Amino acid sequence: MKRLFRLLAIIINALLPWNISYGEVFNTSKSFDLLCLSQYIDHIKDDARFAELCSDSVFIAYVSEVNSNCSASKLCNLYSEIHGDKDDITKCLFTIQHLDSLARGVEWAKSILSVQPQLSYICHKLVEHGYSDYWDNTVYPKLKSHIDNYNLNKDLLNKINKSLADFFLPEFLSDTRPKIYILDIENAFNLSDESFCCTPLILNPEIERRLRLNFMNIYIHENLHNLHISPELMEKLNELDSDSFYRINEDTAQAHGEGRNEAFVVAAEVFISHNLGIRDNQNVFDEFSQYVDGSLVLAPIIYVNLSNRMPDESYNDFLIRLFDEGTLRAGAIKDTYDKAMTSIQSKIAE
């Protein structure tokens, strides 16, 4: 039955239209940019329509209070979680003005709700002073220019989509792709729905090289967050907390806002990227050594074992097998990690 299901999945995947346009990859959001503006208030200081506002002591004090209690990423995550409209600024204002009731049940949002009146005041004042027109005529053209001038390798993107579909077998890759939002910000962050917000600088090839970060890697990574992770697998992962080497590194990863099953995604992304030629062996070693300070110690272990994944085996079942066979075992993570990194490093000169 499993072989029949896999054969059916292969046939369906082969018939799917993998060709997509950049418009289905890159997106913008006027609402997200408004929510991020408290953190990037310097972006509007030289615009005449905001000069009076930026010299208003109450406005600036409220900006400081909001920034002290929440980040742009948390604001956008909360807004996304309560299904706020991404483009209609009027609906966005309504949502922010009623945030205390709309997000009352979101436990992690207490710090944001503590400054809801200040956030509402800031957003209202910005819109009152012409933020919507400013975004339409100043921010959006800049973002669109970055998107339009980015040399998106559509052939590679189609190969990535096909590789992702193959990797998901015998499960199906969801037709709903994570959205990549290009915002007027200077960093990048995930959303709870596995979409991704990032600076337009990531579309600059020179910046890509400098940061050792390729947009295609991000695209693969975010799609892989759709992989099924079972409660059984998470229980086995939790058992590694008794391993001191793993626990120390996991604390570091979580301090970066990563950790838990993130190593599963990183290992899969690096594996797919390497197979497609996006990462060479040196880049693979550097990624595992440097990403979140090299704290995702399970990732290289999983990576070197991925070639042993069985044809009819889901990624979730493959990971469970690594635990069941003792490859991922409390008390042995450091030794297994060291061997995996040595194996990866040995391939650099090949």
Side-chain angles (χ1 to χ4, degrees):
M1 181 61 71
K2 240 182 176 183
R3 291 182 183 279
L4 179 61
F5 182 77
R6 177 177 171 80
L7 179 60
L8 178 62
I10 290 173
I11 293 172
I12 293 174
N13 282 328
L15 296 175
L16 286 175
W18 294 114
N19 294 316
I20 61 178
S21 68
Y22 81 81
E24 294 173 301
V25 179
F26 301 117
N27 301 266
T28 58
S29 169
K30 185 187 292 188
S31 299
F32 280 157
D33 273 319
L34 176 63
L35 294 175
C36 289
L37 196 53
S38 289
Q39 186 172 324
Y40 297 101
I41 201 69
D42 284 351
H43 288 192
I44 63 169
K45 66 180 182 180
D46 295 327
D47 191 285
R49 77 195 86 186
F50 301 113
E52 180 183 350
L53 191 57
C54 287
S55 63
D56 185 297
S57 59
V58 174
F59 179 82
I60 296 302
Y62 281 0
V63 167
S64 179
E65 286 185 55
V66 169
N67 289 342
S68 295
N69 284 273
C70 55
S71 62
S73 62
K74 286 189 175 181
L75 280 174
C76 289
N77 263 287
L78 179 60
Y79 189 76
S80 180
E81 190 161 320
I82 60 177
H83 307 294
D85 189 280
K86 305 294 193 300
D87 301 300
D88 190 318
I89 213 72
T90 302
K91 290 179 180 178
C92 178
L93 273 185
F94 179 87
T95 299
I96 297 305
Q97 289 165 353
H98 296 83
L99 203 59
D100 51 346
S101 58
L102 293 172
R104 185 179 301 153
V106 183
E107 184 65 26
W108 60 266
K110 288 182 178 179
S111 62
I112 297 176
L113 297 182
S114 71
V115 290
Q116 184 271 336
Q118 294 91 326
L119 178 63
S120 180
Y121 178 88
I122 292 167
C123 291
H124 174 76
K125 285 294 184 181
L126 286 168
V127 173
E128 186 178 67
H129 282 72
Y131 181 78
S132 186
D133 287 339
Y134 167 78
W135 190 89
D136 289 340
N137 297 307
T138 302
V139 176
Y140 177 71
K142 179 177 68 174
L143 300 179
K144 188 175 185 301
S145 176
H146 279 282
I147 293 171
D148 290 346
N149 289 321
Y150 181 67
N151 185 23
L152 182 66
N153 187 332
K154 295 180 181 179
D155 288 338
L156 177 57
L157 192 62
N158 292 328
K159 288 179 183 178
I160 287 172
N161 287 328
K162 182 63 171 63
S163 295
L164 284 166
D166 290 342
F167 193 87
F168 270 71
L169 290 172
E171 300 168 6
F172 293 105
L173 174 62
S174 171
D175 289 337
T176 304
R177 300 301 175 89
K179 290 188 174 181
I180 309 294
Y181 289 97
I182 306 300
L183 305 182
D184 188 27
I185 59 178
E186 296 166 9
N187 63 348
F189 52 84
N190 294 314
L191 296 176
S192 56
D193 65 357
E194 305 303 354
S195 293
F196 191 81
C197 297
C198 69
T199 172
L201 295 177
I202 200 63
L203 302 182
N204 182 317
E206 181 56 37
I207 299 295
E208 278 189 328
R209 286 190 289 272
R210 193 184 310 164
L211 295 180
R212 192 183 45 81
L213 186 63
N214 188 297
F215 167 74
M216 294 300 188
N217 300 135
I218 294 174
Y219 181 80
I220 295 169
H221 182 107
E222 296 310 315
N223 274 283
L224 286 168
H225 271 290
N226 287 320
L227 282 162
H228 170 65
I229 301 297
S230 68
E232 178 188 0
L233 176 56
M234 291 308 295
E235 286 179 12
K236 291 181 179 295
L237 180 63
N238 291 337
E239 292 172 4
L240 294 183
D241 285 342
S242 61
D243 185 292
S244 59
F245 177 73
Y246 169 79
R247 186 64 254 173
I248 290 171
N249 281 283
E250 178 65 13
D251 289 343
T252 299
Q254 291 192 22
H256 284 275
E258 302 289 358
R260 306 317 297 163
N261 63 321
E262 187 70 13
F264 302 161
V265 173
V266 170
E269 180 271 303
V270 174
F271 182 79
I272 292 173
S273 293
H274 181 260
N275 285 348
L276 289 170
I278 300 173
R279 295 185 185 275
D280 59 20
N281 289 320
Q282 180 67 62
N283 186 279
V284 169
F285 182 81
D286 291 343
E287 180 70 3
F288 291 139
S289 301
Q290 299 171 21
Y291 184 63
V292 286
D293 295 336
S295 58
L296 300 180
V297 294
L298 300 187
I301 301 173
I302 296 167
Y303 171 83
V304 298
N305 282 278
L306 261 167
S307 58
N308 298 322
R309 181 181 167 192
M310 298 176 184
D312 299 316
E313 192 174 38
S314 71
Y315 190 50
N316 183 82
D317 289 347
F318 161 73
L319 293 171
I320 288 177
R321 181 162 62 84
L322 291 187
F323 281 97
D324 290 344
E325 293 177 350
T327 302
L328 298 174
R329 174 172 56 86
I333 298 301
K334 186 179 188 310
D335 182 57
T336 312
Y337 166 81
D338 288 341
K339 289 178 180 177
M341 291 297 283
T342 298
S343 174
I344 294 169
Q345 190 173 31
S346 70
K347 292 179 169 59
I348 292 174
E350 292 181 1

